[in-house]
Amino acid sequence: MSWDVGHAAASAPTVHMVLPAGVDDPAAPSGGNVYDRRVCQELPSAGWSVHEVPVRGRWPRAGTAAGAELAEALAKLPDGAVVLMDGLVACGVPEIVVPQVRRLRLAVLVHLPLADETGLAPGVAAELERREERHCAPRARSSRPARGPQDS
């Protein structure tokens, strides 16, 4: 499922926002969800058309079926598309996300490093940190921020 947010002009550039499907679930509030929702609400006022791409799963360890859904959603996006991904979704499955960097203009919104989540077992935290550092951090350091639609 996906939908457009806001009332941007028809000629506005599109950003595809990949979010956990439960972003609006009142039973699972988080600062990251609030931030994602705010980004989606504010981008149209900056000249962007927002196409939300919700993906089901318990991110960042969502399982095989959710990973396949994410891979399919990314594959359906046109080459050169501008994509913002929630860090919970992107950083837990770098084997799916990193290959897409070759064809998509992809940025990851990291609200909190995965391993810094409270209550994680030490082994789980170490694995998440390894995956995030190995696959996401080098790309984040090499990216440049977009300042507006003219940078799309």
Side-chain angles (χ1 to χ4, degrees), residues 1 3 7 10-12 18-20 23 34 36 42 53-54 57 63 67-69 75 88 91-92 95 103 111 115 142:
M1 170 194 286
W3 58 93
H7 304 292
S11 63
V18 180
L19 310 155
V23 70
V34 170
D36 286 346
E42 295 295 329
V53 182
E69 180 181 337
L88 282 179
C91 294
E95 66 279 4
R103 61 176 212 86
H111 314 294
S142 66

Side-chain angles (χ1 to χ4, degrees), residues 4-15 44 47-50:
D4 287 321
V5 176
H7 304 292
S11 63
T14 298
V15 60
W48 290 90
S49 174
V50 178

